[in-house]
Amino acid sequence: MANSPLDIVLLGAPGSGKGTQAERIAPAFDLSHISTGEILRGSVKAGTELGAAAKRFMDAGDLVPDEIVIGIIRERLTEPDTIAGFMLDGFPRTLFQAAALDEMLAGAGRALTLVLLIDVPDEELVQRLAGRRACRSCGRGYNVVFDAPKVEGVCDVCGGELFQRDDDNETTVRNRLQVYARQTAPLTGYYRDQGILSTVFGGGRNPDQVFADVEKVLAASAKRPGDGRQA
Ligand code: AMP
């Protein structure tokens, strides 16, 4: 029997460690990592029309309109690297996007294997977001509190300069958390009803500890009977 692709969604509030876990999951499970936030930031940096349309929403910590991000994902999922399995990071973020994704996948004869929620208490999210840094050259993420680089301001991997994202300032962070609670948190119920939601607790734990749990959940899902996959 042919192996079914592992098609997953990573769900979690801003600061829950989605991006950090995504960097580990993608190579470990050989999945194409698709981050709408990264795609949008790339478009802003490149000065494209899409970037110009998205920037003011991103700077305010609001969601970019559904039709824009759905268009991005629709196009991205036609690329050949997604055939063997993908991991969506930061999409869907509204029930409308989730329904559009289901429809898109059904049209291609596939369906989500698993939605992985990384659950972190609100008070910890604010602290984490304030400490978040990324490398300007290779994009590796750090946290000055929980996952600091060996030398302050310098990437361990490539020696690049670390910077703080524009939307990690306090006002925008507060809005992003409210937007998550209002528009994205309801997705947990949507996917629980579909029977594909798994939760990993990320509070007070470092990325390695969280990844150990994530790996167990994904390995079990990859081996699920009827799925035809061998881990
Ligand atoms: P992220 O890197 O996932 O935190 O995304 C950064 C910003 O990009 C968000 O605060 C939104 O403004 C925008 N964004 C990313 N993904 C989506 C999405 N699925 N729907 C709407 N806006 C998005």
Side-chain angles (χ1 to χ4, degrees), residues 91-193:
F91 182 94
R93 262 176 153 101
T94 64
L95 287 168
F96 189 82
Q97 291 176 21
L101 175 63
D102 282 350
E103 218 179 287
M104 240 181 264
L105 292 175
R110 51 206 292 184
L112 289 176
T113 320
L114 177 82
V115 175
L116 188 69
L117 170 69
I118 305 177
D119 189 18
V120 173
D122 281 356
E123 57 278 11
E124 201 178 316
L125 294 172
V126 180
Q127 202 190 354
R128 285 186 182 207
L129 285 163
R132 192 151 84 162
R133 303 288 182 273
C135 174
R136 228 179 256 292
S137 307
C138 74
R140 159 81 152 86
Y142 293 88
N143 194 294
V144 296
V145 186
F146 306 102
D147 185 20
K150 293 192 179 78
V151 180
E152 194 187 323
V154 179
C155 179
D156 290 350
V157 180
C158 75
E161 181 201 0
L162 302 189
F163 76 108
Q164 185 171 32
R165 266 169 54 173
D166 288 346
D167 59 353
D168 277 346
N169 69 75
E170 206 184 319
T171 316
T172 308
V173 158
R174 211 167 288 132
N175 189 40
R176 285 164 64 208
L177 291 173
Q178 280 172 8
V179 165
Y180 178 82
R182 209 169 42 236
Q183 295 185 265
T184 309
L187 293 184
T188 56
Y190 178 84
Y191 289 124
R192 192 175 291 117
D193 288 349

XYZ file of all heavy atoms in Angstrom, residues 91-193:
801
model
N -1.252 28.958 9.776
C -2.443 28.860 8.927
C -3.104 27.518 9.190
O -2.386 26.517 9.233
C -2.076 28.958 7.438
C -3.286 28.919 6.524
C -3.881 30.073 6.084
C -3.828 27.689 6.138
C -5.009 30.035 5.257
C -4.956 27.646 5.326
C -5.539 28.819 4.884
N -4.413 27.423 9.357
C -5.394 28.508 9.349
C -5.420 29.258 10.683
O -4.985 28.745 11.700
C -6.713 27.756 9.121
C -6.496 26.408 9.717
C -5.050 26.094 9.504
N -5.962 30.483 10.630
C -6.080 31.293 11.836
C -7.516 31.738 12.079
O -7.789 32.413 13.069
C -5.205 32.534 11.705
C -3.843 32.435 12.374
C -3.125 33.719 12.045
N -2.141 34.135 12.988
C -0.829 33.955 12.820
N -0.374 33.282 11.810
N 0.004 34.449 13.706
N -8.426 31.394 11.167
C -9.855 31.684 11.361
C -10.634 30.443 10.928
O -10.118 29.611 10.163
C -10.332 32.871 10.479
O -10.197 32.506 9.098
C -9.545 34.147 10.739
N -11.887 30.365 11.394
C -12.725 29.230 10.985
C -12.941 29.239 9.473
O -13.001 28.185 8.843
C -14.070 29.281 11.721
C -13.993 28.909 13.214
C -15.296 29.276 13.928
C -13.692 27.419 13.397
N -13.023 30.443 8.901
C -13.210 30.547 7.452
C -12.011 29.944 6.712
O -12.165 29.192 5.749
C -13.415 32.020 7.062
C -13.834 32.216 5.633
C -15.162 32.073 5.244
C -12.897 32.539 4.655
C -15.546 32.238 3.925
C -13.276 32.709 3.330
C -14.600 32.564 2.965
N -10.796 30.255 7.211
C -9.581 29.688 6.591
C -9.550 28.164 6.758
O -9.140 27.430 5.847
C -8.321 30.285 7.220
C -8.094 31.758 6.907
C -6.886 32.344 7.635
O -5.989 31.624 8.071
N -6.869 33.660 7.785
N -9.992 27.687 7.933
C -9.978 26.237 8.191
C -10.915 25.513 7.218
O -10.569 24.465 6.659
C -10.390 25.955 9.633
N -12.098 26.097 6.998
C -13.064 25.473 6.083
C -12.512 25.509 4.656
O -12.643 24.530 3.900
C -14.406 26.202 6.168
N -11.859 26.630 4.290
C -11.281 26.740 2.942
C -10.185 25.692 2.759
O -10.060 25.089 1.685
C -10.720 28.144 2.715
N -9.395 25.462 3.804
C -8.320 24.462 3.719
C -8.901 23.060 3.530
O -8.435 22.292 2.682
C -7.454 24.519 4.988
C -6.363 23.465 5.104
C -5.327 23.616 3.989
C -5.674 23.553 6.475
N -9.928 22.729 4.320
C -10.564 21.411 4.185
C -11.038 21.186 2.751
O -10.860 20.107 2.180
C -11.776 21.298 5.136
C -11.349 21.022 6.567
O -10.158 20.723 6.791
O -12.207 21.127 7.470
N -11.645 22.243 2.199
C -12.191 22.150 0.841
C -11.079 21.959 -0.192
O -11.189 21.118 -1.096
C -12.935 23.456 0.563
C -14.200 23.294 -0.238
C -14.845 24.654 -0.408
O -15.403 25.168 0.584
O -14.752 25.213 -1.530
N -10.007 22.747 -0.009
C -8.854 22.661 -0.913
C -8.267 21.250 -0.915
O -7.975 20.673 -1.952
C -7.762 23.571 -0.337
C -7.293 24.682 -1.172
S -5.982 25.532 -0.225
C -6.852 26.848 0.547
N -8.093 20.699 0.300
C -7.471 19.378 0.422
C -8.395 18.306 -0.145
O -7.949 17.397 -0.843
C -7.129 19.078 1.884
C -6.018 19.955 2.477
C -5.838 19.649 3.966
C -4.700 19.744 1.745
N -9.694 18.428 0.162
C -10.652 17.443 -0.355
C -10.614 17.427 -1.877
O -10.647 16.367 -2.510
C -12.058 17.758 0.153
N -10.486 18.610 -2.472
C -10.405 18.728 -3.927
C -9.191 18.007 -4.485
O -9.186 17.570 -5.637
N -8.136 17.889 -3.660
C -6.917 17.214 -4.105
C -6.886 15.772 -3.611
O -5.865 15.094 -3.690
C -5.698 17.971 -3.581
N -8.008 15.305 -3.030
C -8.110 13.924 -2.555
C -7.293 13.652 -1.308
O -6.888 12.524 -1.052
N -7.033 14.691 -0.509
C -6.329 14.454 0.755
C -7.055 15.135 1.906
O -8.034 15.850 1.694
C -4.853 14.826 0.657
C -4.521 16.182 0.108
C -3.134 16.229 -0.521
N -2.033 16.097 0.440
C -0.750 16.188 0.093
N -0.407 16.421 -1.153
N 0.206 16.056 0.992
N -6.592 14.871 3.115
C -7.220 15.464 4.304
C -6.149 15.605 5.371
O -5.143 14.889 5.336
C -8.337 14.556 4.816
N -6.358 16.506 6.318
C -5.371 16.676 7.383
C -5.248 15.392 8.194
O -6.248 14.746 8.512
C -5.785 17.813 8.318
C -5.688 19.229 7.746
C -6.228 20.239 8.755
C -4.252 19.572 7.359
N -4.008 15.023 8.529
C -3.771 13.846 9.366
C -3.952 14.227 10.833
O -4.496 13.463 11.623
C -2.305 13.368 9.199
O -1.918 13.468 7.839
C -2.125 11.962 9.697
N -3.467 15.419 11.172
C -3.367 15.790 12.582
C -3.239 17.302 12.740
O -2.592 17.958 11.931
C -2.084 15.144 13.131
C -1.718 15.437 14.574
C -2.511 14.516 15.491
C -0.227 15.207 14.806
N -3.862 17.821 13.815
C -3.652 19.213 14.199
C -3.027 19.191 15.582
O -3.585 18.622 16.525
C -4.990 19.993 14.208
C -4.783 21.405 14.730
C -5.578 20.024 12.799
N -1.844 19.780 15.685
C -1.094 19.735 16.938
C -1.160 21.100 17.611
O -0.670 22.091 17.067
C 0.358 19.368 16.621
C 1.240 19.098 17.811
C 0.822 17.809 18.501
C 2.689 18.984 17.357
N -1.777 21.137 18.783
C -1.887 22.395 19.541
C -0.777 22.450 20.588
O -0.630 21.527 21.396
C -3.257 22.455 20.227
C -3.450 23.578 21.246
C -3.481 24.948 20.566
C -4.749 23.371 22.048
N -0.003 23.523 20.578
C 0.990 23.740 21.639
C 0.367 24.726 22.617
O 0.114 25.880 22.285
C 2.323 24.266 21.077
C 2.823 23.298 20.003
C 3.359 24.410 22.195
C 4.093 23.732 19.315
N 0.085 24.217 23.811
C -0.687 24.960 24.793
C 0.236 25.599 25.837
O 0.946 24.900 26.557
C -1.644 23.962 25.466
C -2.657 24.654 26.350
O -2.851 25.872 26.184
O -3.257 23.971 27.206
N 0.217 26.930 25.891
C 1.063 27.669 26.849
C 0.180 28.702 27.561
O -0.597 29.395 26.904
C 2.226 28.391 26.108
C 3.013 29.294 27.040
C 3.151 27.370 25.447
N 0.275 28.803 28.900
C -0.559 29.774 29.616
C -0.294 31.214 29.157
O 0.850 31.568 28.861
C -0.123 29.616 31.084
C 0.573 28.302 31.154
C 1.137 28.029 29.798
N -1.364 32.037 29.139
C -1.284 33.421 28.642
C -0.157 34.232 29.263
O 0.565 34.942 28.575
C -2.606 34.152 28.920
C -3.666 33.769 27.913
O -3.332 33.008 26.976
O -4.814 34.219 28.066
N -0.012 34.137 30.607
C 0.973 34.999 31.259
C 2.391 34.695 30.789
O 3.248 35.569 30.718
C 0.850 34.940 32.798
C 0.986 33.572 33.439
C -0.306 32.727 33.408
O -1.268 33.107 32.704
O -0.337 31.681 34.077
N 2.619 33.437 30.417
C 3.948 33.068 29.938
C 4.185 33.553 28.495
O 5.320 33.839 28.100
C 4.088 31.543 30.007
C 5.531 31.091 30.030
C 5.649 29.573 30.148
O 4.920 28.971 30.955
O 6.466 29.005 29.421
N 3.098 33.664 27.734
C 3.235 34.075 26.329
C 3.822 35.479 26.207
O 4.698 35.728 25.388
C 1.867 34.034 25.633
C 1.246 32.653 25.472
C -0.187 32.777 24.946
C 2.077 31.804 24.514
N 3.344 36.394 27.057
C 3.793 37.788 26.984
C 5.296 37.858 27.256
O 6.054 38.504 26.531
C 3.022 38.661 28.008
C 3.487 40.108 27.945
C 1.531 38.561 27.762
N 5.720 37.123 28.283
C 7.126 37.092 28.660
C 7.990 36.521 27.511
O 9.042 37.055 27.190
C 7.239 36.187 29.884
C 8.454 36.407 30.726
C 8.560 35.281 31.773
O 7.671 34.438 31.913
N 9.658 35.284 32.493
N 7.494 35.465 26.909
C 8.244 34.826 25.830
C 8.375 35.727 24.616
O 9.429 35.804 23.994
C 7.517 33.566 25.371
C 7.637 32.422 26.317
C 6.992 31.272 25.620
N 6.967 30.080 26.419
C 6.953 28.856 25.902
N 6.964 28.695 24.604
N 6.910 27.806 26.674
N 7.262 36.400 24.265
C 7.279 37.236 23.064
C 8.252 38.397 23.219
O 8.942 38.778 22.284
C 5.867 37.752 22.760
C 4.947 36.688 22.177
C 3.492 37.112 22.285
C 5.276 36.414 20.718
N 8.321 38.927 24.449
C 9.231 40.056 24.692
C 10.688 39.622 24.529
O 11.542 40.420 24.160
C 8.984 40.607 26.093
N 10.978 38.337 24.790
C 12.361 37.858 24.723
C 12.750 37.277 23.371
O 13.872 36.812 23.169
N 11.810 37.275 22.449
C 12.038 36.599 21.174
C 12.991 37.368 20.253
O 12.875 38.572 20.113
C 10.679 36.427 20.504
C 10.694 35.506 19.337
C 9.370 34.873 19.222
N 8.437 35.725 18.484
C 7.333 35.239 17.951
N 7.014 33.971 18.097
N 6.521 36.030 17.311
N 13.912 36.649 19.628
C 14.842 37.247 18.657
C 14.989 36.272 17.488
O 14.769 35.076 17.646
C 16.242 37.461 19.265
C 16.294 38.323 20.511
C 16.042 39.808 20.223
N 16.151 40.613 21.435
C 15.157 40.845 22.291
N 13.959 40.323 22.073
N 15.346 41.586 23.361
N 15.393 36.786 16.338
C 15.652 35.907 15.185
C 16.907 36.381 14.469
O 17.281 37.556 14.564
C 14.465 35.926 14.232
N 17.543 35.462 13.752
C 18.760 35.805 13.014
C 18.399 36.451 11.681
O 17.577 35.923 10.938
C 19.604 34.558 12.776
S 21.019 34.904 11.717
N 19.026 37.583 11.406
C 18.768 38.303 10.158
C 19.239 37.503 8.938
O 18.692 37.629 7.846
C 19.524 39.637 10.191
C 18.682 40.805 9.794
C 19.449 42.098 9.861
N 19.123 42.911 11.025
C 17.943 43.503 11.226
N 16.974 43.376 10.364
N 17.713 44.218 12.312
N 20.256 36.650 9.127
C 20.800 35.925 7.968
C 20.112 34.589 7.728
O 19.631 34.318 6.636
C 22.296 35.669 8.156
O 22.947 36.870 8.436
N 20.043 33.725 8.786
C 19.517 32.374 8.525
C 18.120 32.151 9.093
O 17.517 31.113 8.851
C 20.482 31.306 9.063
S 20.470 31.146 10.863
N 17.607 33.122 9.867
C 16.237 33.006 10.359
C 16.068 32.194 11.634
O 14.967 32.108 12.180
N 17.156 31.580 12.146
C 17.061 30.762 13.370
C 16.469 31.608 14.505
O 16.837 32.756 14.693
C 18.475 30.261 13.707
C 18.707 29.822 15.154
C 18.198 28.406 15.431
N 18.934 27.746 16.483
C 18.687 27.838 17.799
N 17.708 28.611 18.236
N 19.403 27.155 18.660
N 15.505 31.004 15.248
C 14.864 31.721 16.337
C 15.572 31.507 17.669
O 16.150 30.443 17.902
N 15.526 32.519 18.541
C 16.094 32.426 19.898
C 15.127 33.053 20.874
O 14.183 33.736 20.491
C 17.425 33.207 19.991
C 18.533 32.607 19.166
C 18.696 32.980 17.831
C 19.400 31.672 19.707
C 19.697 32.421 17.054
C 20.403 31.107 18.944
C 20.546 31.480 17.619
O 21.540 30.923 16.859
N 15.372 32.823 22.168
C 14.668 33.579 23.186
C 15.684 33.943 24.265
O 16.342 33.047 24.803
C 13.511 32.776 23.779
C 12.596 33.686 24.579
O 12.999 34.223 25.601
N 11.388 33.889 24.103
N 15.820 35.238 24.536
C 16.879 35.658 25.468
C 16.647 35.107 26.878
O 17.575 35.014 27.666
C 17.051 37.201 25.513
C 17.516 37.726 24.166
C 15.773 37.898 25.934
N 15.409 34.710 27.187
C 15.115 34.148 28.503
C 15.256 32.620 28.516
O 15.892 32.046 29.389
C 13.685 34.529 28.973
C 13.438 34.067 30.397
C 13.436 36.022 28.833
N 14.672 31.952 27.493
C 14.574 30.484 27.548
C 15.552 29.751 26.635
O 15.812 28.583 26.816
C 13.168 30.041 27.113
C 12.080 30.699 27.884
C 11.355 31.750 27.345
C 11.772 30.256 29.164
C 10.343 32.352 28.064
C 10.761 30.858 29.876
C 10.048 31.912 29.337
N 16.022 30.430 25.605
C 16.804 29.740 24.582
C 17.810 30.748 24.016
O 17.787 31.082 22.835
C 15.810 29.255 23.492
C 16.467 28.420 22.414
O 17.560 27.890 22.656
O 15.879 28.310 21.323
N 18.686 31.238 24.922
C 19.576 32.349 24.562
C 20.723 31.880 23.661
O 21.179 30.744 23.777
C 20.143 32.978 25.836
N 21.204 32.779 22.788
C 22.395 32.435 21.988
C 23.622 32.441 22.904
O 23.591 33.032 23.986
C 22.469 33.589 20.977
C 21.798 34.732 21.664
C 20.715 34.141 22.522
N 24.685 31.775 22.480
C 25.898 31.705 23.311
C 26.490 33.104 23.516
O 26.932 33.457 24.591
C 26.931 30.779 22.664
C 26.472 29.318 22.653
C 27.612 28.373 22.282
C 27.136 26.937 22.293
N 26.353 26.595 21.080
N 26.478 33.908 22.460
C 26.966 35.299 22.548
C 25.777 36.214 22.264
O 25.081 36.036 21.256
C 28.081 35.566 21.499
C 28.576 37.011 21.590
C 29.223 34.577 21.664
N 25.540 37.189 23.161
C 24.378 38.059 23.024
C 24.345 38.756 21.650
O 25.345 39.329 21.212
C 24.420 39.113 24.143
C 23.097 39.845 24.290
C 23.206 41.000 25.290
O 23.917 40.833 26.289
O 22.580 42.034 25.035
N 23.199 38.670 20.990
C 23.023 39.391 19.728
C 23.619 38.711 18.508
O 23.552 39.242 17.397
N 24.225 37.514 18.718
C 24.905 36.842 17.597
C 24.361 35.419 17.419
O 24.212 34.670 18.387
C 26.437 36.770 17.852
C 27.142 36.061 16.699
C 27.013 38.163 18.058
N 24.061 35.044 16.175
C 23.512 33.715 15.894
C 24.559 32.619 16.114
O 25.674 32.707 15.579
C 23.015 33.691 14.450
S 22.343 32.090 13.969
N 24.197 31.580 16.877
C 25.096 30.437 17.125
C 25.442 29.715 15.832
O 26.528 29.168 15.680
C 24.402 29.381 18.010
C 24.202 29.861 19.435
O 24.755 30.916 19.796
O 23.474 29.164 20.179
N 24.457 29.669 14.919
C 24.618 28.842 13.723
C 25.494 29.521 12.672
O 26.431 28.918 12.146
C 23.233 28.514 13.098
C 23.376 27.652 11.854
C 22.338 27.827 14.132
N 25.192 30.806 12.375
C 25.887 31.428 11.237
C 26.611 32.721 11.592
O 27.211 33.347 10.719
C 24.895 31.668 10.099
S 23.785 33.046 10.402
N 26.515 33.139 12.864
C 27.219 34.367 13.261
C 26.486 35.635 12.842
O 26.998 36.743 13.025
N 25.267 35.478 12.287
C 24.475 36.640 11.841
C 23.974 37.477 13.019
O 24.049 37.055 14.180
N 23.437 38.653 12.674
C 22.950 39.571 13.705
C 21.526 39.184 14.126
O 20.676 38.898 13.280
C 22.951 40.989 13.104
C 22.485 42.075 14.046
C 22.019 43.334 13.301
O 22.074 43.350 12.039
O 21.584 44.268 13.977
N 21.275 39.180 15.439
C 19.924 38.864 15.921
C 19.112 40.153 16.020
O 19.639 41.204 16.361
C 19.981 38.180 17.285
C 20.784 36.881 17.358
C 20.576 36.210 18.717
C 20.397 35.912 16.240
N 17.814 40.042 15.710
C 16.953 41.227 15.782
C 15.594 40.854 16.356
O 15.242 39.663 16.444
C 16.800 41.865 14.388
C 15.868 41.102 13.482
C 14.613 41.605 13.162
C 16.239 39.867 12.955
C 13.745 40.901 12.337
C 15.383 39.146 12.130
C 14.138 39.674 11.814
N 14.846 41.886 16.772
C 13.500 41.663 17.302
C 12.500 42.018 16.206
O 12.624 43.072 15.560
C 13.277 42.560 18.523
C 11.952 42.299 19.205
C 11.827 43.029 20.534
O 12.382 44.115 20.701
N 11.108 42.452 21.465
N 11.511 41.162 15.985
C 10.501 41.438 14.955
C 9.731 42.711 15.293
O 9.445 42.977 16.453
C 9.513 40.264 14.915
C 9.887 39.231 13.888
C 9.067 37.991 14.048
N 7.615 38.221 14.054
C 6.722 37.249 14.049
N 7.127 35.991 14.033
N 5.440 37.502 14.067
N 9.351 43.481 14.251
C 8.594 44.725 14.454
C 7.325 44.477 15.275
O 6.927 45.290 16.095
C 8.150 45.319 13.096
C 9.314 45.912 12.338
O 10.385 46.097 12.953
O 9.158 46.172 11.134
N 6.679 43.321 15.018
C 5.392 43.087 15.687
C 5.553 42.390 17.037
O 4.582 41.933 17.621
C 4.412 42.334 14.777
C 4.915 40.982 14.306
O 6.096 40.657 14.572
O 4.139 40.244 13.682
N 6.777 42.330 17.558
C 6.972 41.799 18.916
C 7.041 42.925 19.961
O 7.430 42.700 21.092
C 8.249 40.934 18.988
C 7.988 39.493 18.517
O 6.800 39.113 18.391
O 8.955 38.758 18.270
N 6.659 44.159 19.579
C 6.604 45.236 20.592
C 5.345 45.041 21.450
O 4.402 44.361 21.037
C 6.635 46.617 19.928
C 5.357 46.885 19.162
O 4.315 47.155 19.745
N 5.421 46.751 17.846
N 5.340 45.678 22.635
C 4.321 45.342 23.630
C 2.870 45.586 23.169
O 1.994 44.750 23.380
C 4.606 46.112 24.921
C 4.053 45.398 26.131
C 4.238 46.194 27.401
O 5.319 46.787 27.570
O 3.285 46.224 28.206
N 2.636 46.727 22.512
C 1.261 47.052 22.092
C 0.758 46.033 21.068
O -0.366 45.523 21.170
C 1.232 48.452 21.413
O 2.024 49.336 22.184
C -0.161 48.970 21.259
N 1.617 45.739 20.087
C 1.208 44.804 19.038
C 1.028 43.403 19.608
O 0.088 42.693 19.252
C 2.245 44.812 17.893
O 2.453 46.157 17.497
C 1.761 44.017 16.704
N 1.921 43.028 20.536
C 1.830 41.706 21.161
C 0.486 41.542 21.860
O -0.189 40.519 21.714
C 2.993 41.515 22.166
C 2.661 40.443 23.185
C 4.275 41.165 21.421
N 0.093 42.579 22.596
C -1.174 42.478 23.330
C -2.333 42.260 22.347
O -3.206 41.428 22.562
C -1.391 43.737 24.170
C -2.173 43.431 25.417
C -2.166 44.546 26.423
N -0.886 44.730 27.095
C -0.277 45.902 27.258
N -0.806 47.005 26.783
N 0.850 45.977 27.910
N -2.315 43.002 21.247
C -3.378 42.847 20.253
C -3.335 41.457 19.604
O -4.369 40.825 19.406
C -3.285 43.936 19.181
C -4.511 43.913 18.271
O -5.635 43.723 18.728
N -4.298 44.057 16.976
N -2.124 40.969 19.305
C -2.019 39.650 18.655
C -2.595 38.559 19.561
O -3.223 37.613 19.084
C -0.560 39.345 18.307
C -0.093 40.141 17.094
C 1.402 40.152 16.962
N 1.949 38.849 16.715
C 3.185 38.467 17.072
N 3.971 39.305 17.710
N 3.614 37.272 16.786
N -2.381 38.697 20.873
C -2.921 37.685 21.797
C -4.448 37.756 21.841
O -5.124 36.725 21.888
C -2.320 37.860 23.196
C -0.821 37.522 23.290
C -0.268 37.881 24.662
C -0.584 36.039 23.008
N -4.983 39.000 21.773
C -6.453 39.140 21.769
C -7.041 38.568 20.482
O -8.064 37.900 20.492
C -6.841 40.611 21.900
C -6.776 41.097 23.346
C -6.978 42.596 23.462
O -7.303 43.263 22.486
N -6.766 43.132 24.655
N -6.360 38.864 19.375
C -6.824 38.360 18.075
C -6.815 36.827 18.093
O -7.746 36.180 17.620
C -5.939 38.916 16.923
C -6.156 38.153 15.633
C -6.219 40.400 16.719
N -5.769 36.248 18.681
C -5.687 34.779 18.762
C -6.874 34.228 19.554
O -7.554 33.293 19.114
C -4.369 34.332 19.415
C -4.299 32.823 19.537
C -3.916 32.045 18.454
C -4.670 32.169 20.717
C -3.894 30.661 18.533
C -4.652 30.789 20.811
C -4.265 30.037 19.716
O -4.260 28.666 19.790
N -7.120 34.826 20.732
C -8.200 34.329 21.591
C -9.550 34.415 20.876
O -10.368 33.500 20.952
C -8.235 35.132 22.887
N -9.746 35.511 20.158
C -11.052 35.747 19.536
C -11.228 34.940 18.247
O -12.256 34.341 18.020
C -11.161 37.247 19.225
C -12.553 37.791 19.240
C -12.611 39.305 19.193
N -11.675 39.904 18.262
C -10.755 40.818 18.590
N -10.644 41.234 19.824
N -9.936 41.324 17.680
N -10.188 34.943 17.388
C -10.395 34.398 16.042
C -9.777 33.016 15.808
O -10.277 32.254 14.994
C -9.859 35.389 15.002
C -10.654 36.689 15.026
C -10.217 37.625 13.920
O -9.392 38.490 14.120
N -10.761 37.437 12.742
N -8.681 32.716 16.519
C -7.987 31.453 16.215
C -8.289 30.351 17.234
O -8.424 29.181 16.853
C -6.462 31.697 16.111
O -6.234 32.793 15.221
C -5.729 30.480 15.593
N -8.430 30.713 18.514
C -8.674 29.688 19.536
C -9.899 28.811 19.214
O -9.876 27.602 19.498
C -8.791 30.334 20.916
N -10.970 29.371 18.605
C -12.126 28.507 18.268
C -11.772 27.340 17.334
O -12.535 26.377 17.232
C -13.110 29.469 17.589
C -12.759 30.822 18.110
C -11.267 30.799 18.314
N -10.611 27.397 16.683
C -10.231 26.294 15.792
C -9.994 25.002 16.574
O -10.111 23.909 16.012
C -8.957 26.627 15.015
C -9.051 27.761 13.999
C -7.747 27.896 13.243
C -10.169 27.490 13.024
N -9.652 25.112 17.855
C -9.406 23.884 18.625
C -10.698 23.056 18.688
O -10.659 21.837 18.543
C -8.882 24.179 20.051
O -9.807 25.023 20.708
C -7.524 24.835 20.013
N -11.836 23.732 18.875
C -13.126 23.028 18.895
C -13.448 22.421 17.539
O -13.921 21.288 17.436
N -13.148 23.182 16.490
C -13.420 22.726 15.113
C -12.675 21.422 14.829
O -13.249 20.455 14.308
C -12.980 23.848 14.162
C -13.138 23.575 12.683
C -14.354 23.792 12.040
C -12.053 23.148 11.923
C -14.486 23.566 10.669
C -12.182 22.930 10.550
C -13.402 23.137 9.939
O -13.531 22.921 8.582
N -11.373 21.381 15.217
C -10.577 20.188 14.918
C -10.819 19.066 15.940
O -10.672 17.896 15.607
C -9.095 20.551 14.830
C -8.767 21.355 13.580
C -8.148 22.597 13.666
C -9.091 20.864 12.314
C -7.852 23.329 12.516
C -8.808 21.594 11.169
C -8.191 22.821 11.273
O -7.908 23.535 10.132
N -11.199 19.446 17.172
C -11.541 18.399 18.152
C -12.762 17.637 17.645
O -12.814 16.402 17.705
C -11.817 19.025 19.531
C -11.879 18.009 20.636
C -12.022 18.630 22.017
N -10.834 19.349 22.437
C -10.770 20.655 22.693
N -11.854 21.407 22.575
N -9.652 21.219 23.069
N -13.731 18.378 17.103
C -14.939 17.746 16.556
C -14.609 16.804 15.390
O -15.305 15.832 15.155
C -15.943 18.805 16.074
C -16.599 19.547 17.232
O -16.430 19.099 18.390
O -17.243 20.590 16.996
